[in-house]
Amino acid sequence: MESVNRASAVDDVVRQIRRLIRERGLGVGDVLPSEVELAAMFDSSRNTVREAFRTLKAYGVAESRQKVGAVLTDQHQNAMRDLFSFAMEISVDAFRDIQGYRRLTEMNLFDLLAERLTGEALAEMEAVNAAILMAEDAERASELDFQFHRLLVEAAGNRTLSETYGMLKPVIQRLMLAGKSHRLTLEAVVAEHGDILEALRCRDRIAFVYHMDRHLSAGLEFIVE
């Protein structure tokens, strides 16, 4: 019961610190009040405030700096990426889960892309796709593969979707690594990307969904049961 009360007290201080940040209009680089000041401000113990700081640090919202104190940061995406990268194992189930997420996002981008996609963005995706065949190793090829899809998502113009997709980078890129050591696999990936781009050029929704679905299913053969 004591541990539950302690956790509740820490959560309460975290909420109060977040409220303080909003009310004071604090941003990245600004320094938070000291532990002593916050403990007095929130009528809490220094240990509880210290635990609340640890929570904020874990979420990438703040970090400790010598002679300065707790400084607001914008590392929450990195923290989430690390969490996903640590937690996910590459298995058939993981593949299906992640590719299922990508189906819900990438296969439903057509309307936004048809409206927003510029010739410049299209050319950038073509250049990244062509570079896959010249990648020096499988890691670089998977990085370029992710970059292609990230550009596709960003071209849709939805910031929240782009940030969420970015958070999953370690897991998605690890999936993309499968099979990338084979030249034939690289050629297949480039050809599939080309089909997706051609469907966008022609504003062909059916072709876009078909080729995206085929592409997202292709890597399963490299995942061990």
Side-chain angles (χ1 to χ4, degrees):
M1 186 67 179
E2 182 179 347
S3 62
V4 173
N5 290 336
R6 180 181 178 83
S8 177
V10 171
D11 289 342
D12 186 56
V13 171
V14 169
R15 283 192 293 270
Q16 291 185 80
I17 292 174
R18 291 177 61 187
R19 187 182 307 118
L20 177 71
I21 292 170
R22 289 195 303 271
E23 290 175 350
R24 294 191 178 182
L26 301 178
V28 174
D30 289 334
V31 181
L32 288 170
S34 68
E35 288 182 5
V36 174
E37 291 172 319
L38 289 174
M41 194 181 303
F42 302 144
D43 191 23
S44 181
S45 71
R46 288 188 63 181
N47 284 338
T48 300
V49 171
R50 190 172 297 119
E51 288 296 322
F53 271 142
R54 287 175 184 162
T55 300
L56 294 174
K57 290 171 189 174
Y59 281 102
V61 175
E63 65 180 15
S64 295
R65 295 181 185 173
Q66 284 189 342
K67 299 181 181 179
V68 176
V71 178
L72 292 178
T73 62
D74 189 19
Q75 299 298 314
H76 60 284
Q77 287 193 23
N78 291 340
M80 288 298 291
R81 289 188 190 119
D82 291 343
L83 174 63
F84 278 119
S85 184
F86 177 79
M88 290 293 292
E89 293 295 333
I90 301 306
S91 62
V92 171
D93 287 342
F95 180 92
R96 287 173 176 155
D97 285 346
I98 295 301
Q99 300 304 71
Y101 162 80
R102 295 180 65 196
R103 279 189 170 82
L104 290 172
T105 55
E106 294 181 63
M107 286 177 61
N108 288 292
L109 292 177
F110 182 82
D111 288 339
L112 288 172
L113 290 171
E115 177 185 347
R116 298 170 179 264
L117 186 62
T118 64
E120 182 180 352
L122 196 59
E124 187 176 5
M125 282 185 269
E126 288 174 334
V128 170
N129 190 39
I132 292 175
L133 287 176
M134 297 180 286
E136 59 270 23
D137 52 36
E139 286 75 15
R140 176 58 178 163
S142 65
E143 182 181 334
L144 289 166
D145 191 357
F146 179 83
Q147 188 177 343
F148 173 89
H149 286 272
R150 180 72 179 269
L151 288 171
L152 193 69
V153 171
E154 289 179 346
N158 186 302
R159 188 177 63 181
T160 300
L161 180 58
S162 295
E163 290 180 353
T164 305
Y165 198 85
M167 288 178 188
L168 286 169
K169 179 179 179 179
V171 182
I172 293 176
Q173 194 166 315
R174 201 188 307 177
L175 290 182
M176 289 175 169
L177 184 61
K180 286 292 194 300
S181 59
H182 304 290
R183 176 73 182 187
L184 288 177
T185 302
L186 297 183
E187 292 175 352
V189 167
V190 171
E192 289 162 8
H193 286 172
D195 289 336
I196 292 168
L197 293 177
E198 182 61 24
L200 286 172
R201 281 193 208 93
C202 298
R203 298 298 192 266
D204 187 335
R205 178 199 298 272
I206 294 176
F208 175 82
V209 172
Y210 170 77
H211 289 301
M212 184 64 78
D213 178 64
R214 187 165 61 97
H215 178 56
L216 294 178
S217 299
L220 183 58
E221 64 180 287
F222 300 106
I223 307 301
V224 179
E225 293 273 3

